[in-house]
Amino acid sequence: MKTATQPVLEVRNLRKYFPVKRSLFSMIKRHVHAVDDVSFSIGHAETLSLVGESGCGKSTVGRLILRLLEPTSGEIHLEGQAIHRLDAEAMRPHRRRAQIVFQDPFSSLNPRMRIRDIIAEPLRNFQLVRGEREMVSRVKALLDTVRLPEGAIDRYPHEFSGGQRQRIGIARALATEPVLIVCDEPVSALDVSVKAQVVNLLSDLQRERGLTLLFISHDMAIVEHLTHRVAVMYLGRIVEIADRRSLFADPMHPYTQALLAAIPIPAAGRRRNRITVTGEIPSPIEPPPGCHFHTRCPHVRAECKTTIPALTEHRPGHWTACHLYR
């Protein structure tokens, strides 16, 4: 049973390694270290943004939390329940409590289904409505919630813009009245003006419904507007976690500093120290020993090349995995 102080979501030492064969006939396997010892928690009505470059493991974390992928090891607790231990049948009642909004609004909706059936599908799956009349009423209410006209109910996805399709995806996620929504790059495929509308909608829905959001993104400007706390990932590991204000005002990890330095700002805007990061992201199949970022870090030390830095609270609520702060 969830208590008042218990987080809605708690992830402990989560790992996901994907096996890769060396050749077609080889039995020897290597592994892609997609997620490597990730831990965090999210409180009620809180937004935690998971940020980092493409390929760092953000989306994999989201799918592991929803059990769309099975973890290699680690723990996932939803409202105090250890859902990583549940089989498919036992997991079913928990699926309605955690939903997802996918990245691509053009491929996440079945083009052969009307909007009424797309949004009603989870209602039917979890037996949340009785009869067609109640179903139509719920679907229209959900469309109104995401600021779409009730006339959209009998149309097909191709009749809507990208932003409208994403609103339909949000309505579908809301249908089961979840406590947690994983937003997997929900605005990356949208135009700038539409991005702002969708982000504002998510923010409003969170306040109105007390939703907990895991917002996965590489767009730091969007994250700064929406989030309460930020977790920064690099090559499968979390390197920094802090509240939004602390992280954007005074980032501690060199990788976080580089991410923030890359945000475009007007000439008359705030000043930002520039940090130069050289080289390519190492392969997740053969990640470097020690700190994964040491091959690109301008402050690298000898111990960075051999010892994995622990994620440590160096300031109140500000956690960093970096040898610079020992």
Side-chain angles (χ1 to χ4, degrees):
M1 181 66 67
K2 179 179 177 293
T3 66
T5 58
Q6 192 175 55
V8 170
L9 175 70
E10 188 171 9
V11 173
R12 301 174 188 165
N13 309 113
L14 192 63
R15 289 180 171 88
K16 180 62 179 178
Y17 299 161
F18 294 99
V20 179
K21 288 186 178 181
R22 291 182 181 274
S23 67
L24 181 63
F25 302 103
S26 174
M27 295 301 293
I28 302 174
K29 294 181 179 180
R30 295 180 296 174
H31 290 84
V32 175
H33 294 228
V35 177
D36 199 0
D37 198 17
V38 165
S39 300
F40 61 84
S41 63
I42 316 178
H44 174 71
E46 181 184 31
T47 298
L48 175 72
S49 289
L50 194 58
V51 304
E53 295 169 284
S54 296
C56 71
K58 307 184 301 294
S59 294
T60 303
V61 169
R63 282 160 171 73
L64 290 170
I65 288 168
L66 296 170
R67 295 282 303 276
L68 301 178
L69 292 172
E70 292 303 314
T72 301
S73 63
E75 301 180 8
I76 305 164
H77 297 260
L78 180 66
E79 296 186 295
Q81 296 291 321
I83 64 171
H84 59 282
R85 299 173 180 167
L86 304 180
D87 59 23
E89 186 63 28
M91 182 65 194
R92 180 173 171 78
H94 295 282
R95 291 200 181 278
R96 65 168 290 194
R97 307 299 287 160
Q99 293 291 307
I100 186 169
V101 177
F102 292 98
Q103 177 177 357
D104 187 358
F106 297 94
S107 62
S108 61
L109 304 179
N110 190 331
R112 298 182 180 180
M113 294 174 67
R114 295 181 185 272
I115 303 308
R116 70 161 67 215
D117 297 316
I118 290 172
I119 298 177
E121 189 172 29
L123 295 173
R124 295 191 178 108
N125 285 345
F126 291 102
Q127 301 178 349
L128 300 178
V129 291
R130 292 176 294 180
E132 187 71 11
R133 179 176 296 180
E134 183 179 356
M135 185 273 292
V136 171
S137 176
R138 289 282 296 274
V139 171
K140 288 182 177 180
L142 287 164
L143 287 173
D144 182 66
T145 298
V146 297
R147 301 162 193 171
L148 287 174
E150 66 176 39
I153 194 171
D154 290 316
R155 295 163 64 184
Y156 288 92
H158 73 268
E159 300 179 69
F160 296 90
S161 67
Q164 290 172 325
R165 291 188 197 195
Q166 200 59 293
R167 290 171 185 266
I168 294 166
I170 293 170
R172 178 176 58 186
L174 291 172
T176 63
E177 299 181 351
V179 295
L180 170 70
I181 296 182
V182 175
C183 301
D184 186 9
E185 301 264 15
V187 297
S188 63
L190 306 179
D191 294 337
V192 174
S193 60
V194 181
K195 284 183 181 182
Q197 295 172 14
V198 173
V199 167
N200 289 336
L201 173 62
L202 287 170
S203 183
D204 291 344
L205 289 172
Q206 182 181 51
R207 287 195 300 270
E208 294 166 4
R209 294 173 174 246
L211 292 172
T212 298
L213 301 180
L214 175 62
F215 190 82
I216 298 168
S217 181
H218 64 270
D219 190 330
M220 298 298 286
I222 292 289
V223 165
E224 185 176 14
H225 174 74
L226 177 69
T227 197
H228 297 102
R229 289 189 300 133
V230 184
V232 181
M233 281 191 73
Y234 182 80
L235 207 62
R237 294 178 182 165
I238 289 181
V239 298
E240 188 164 3
I241 301 179
D243 66 88
R244 177 195 59 185
R245 183 171 298 178
S246 296
L247 186 128
F248 279 88
D250 191 12
M252 298 182 70
H253 197 280
Y255 177 63
T256 308
Q257 294 168 6
L259 283 181
L260 296 181
I263 301 175
I265 56 174
R270 62 190 173 197
R271 295 184 178 181
R272 186 183 295 126
N273 294 328
R274 292 286 170 179
I275 180 171
T276 302
V277 174
T278 59
E280 299 294 329
I281 301 176
S283 169
I285 297 177
E286 296 180 355
C291 175
H292 284 177
F293 189 59
H294 84 254
T295 59
R296 305 172 70 195
C297 182
H299 308 295
V300 63
R301 299 175 175 180
E303 62 185 330
C304 302
K305 301 177 182 180
T306 58
T307 306
I308 299 172
L311 190 64
T312 305
E313 189 176 21
H314 295 282
R315 302 170 185 164
H318 198 143
W319 299 70
T320 312
C322 185
H323 290 303
L324 288 175
Y325 301 99
R326 289 186 61 183

